[in-house]
Amino acid sequence: SEHMYRMAEMRTMFGELLLEPTIAEQSNWQQIQGAAHSIHQWPGESARQAAAVFDDLLKHFTDSGRKRHRKAAVPAGAGAG
């Protein structure tokens, strides 16, 4: 219930800025955060699966940024009159 509450709170605050898909709640999140480790350093299958979701989100985010940058680039000689 806490996870759902926080997700609703973030949707209200940030709307479309939140990345999709969201990452499912895991019982070990508090342990990982309390130990100040990244999900990529934590042992166990659930942590490996969550790390893969983070990696996919990051790849999608960085790939979409490159696509936007390419569309915004002006070809050489364009606009010269």
Side-chain angles (χ1 to χ4, degrees):
S1 61
E2 177 71 15
H3 182 72
M4 293 178 74
Y5 173 81
R6 295 296 174 199
M7 290 300 300
E9 182 179 54
M10 287 193 297
R11 281 188 189 101
T12 300
M13 292 170 58
F14 302 109
E16 293 182 14
L17 295 175
L18 292 179
L19 297 176
E20 292 287 338
T22 59
I23 298 172
E25 180 181 15
Q26 291 184 197
S27 60
N28 59 358
W29 283 128
Q30 288 182 355
Q31 284 180 302
I32 296 167
Q33 291 172 342
H37 281 79
S38 77
I39 191 71
H40 293 82
Q41 296 173 327
W42 201 256
E45 183 58 28
S46 64
R48 277 191 290 279
Q49 290 174 359
V53 174
F54 275 103
D55 291 344
D56 289 345
L57 284 171
L58 180 60
K59 183 177 181 346
H60 176 74
F61 182 73
T62 56
D63 287 351
S64 66
R66 279 194 287 269
K67 289 175 187 172
R68 279 195 306 272
H69 179 69
R70 276 188 240 133
K71 286 181 182 178
V74 177

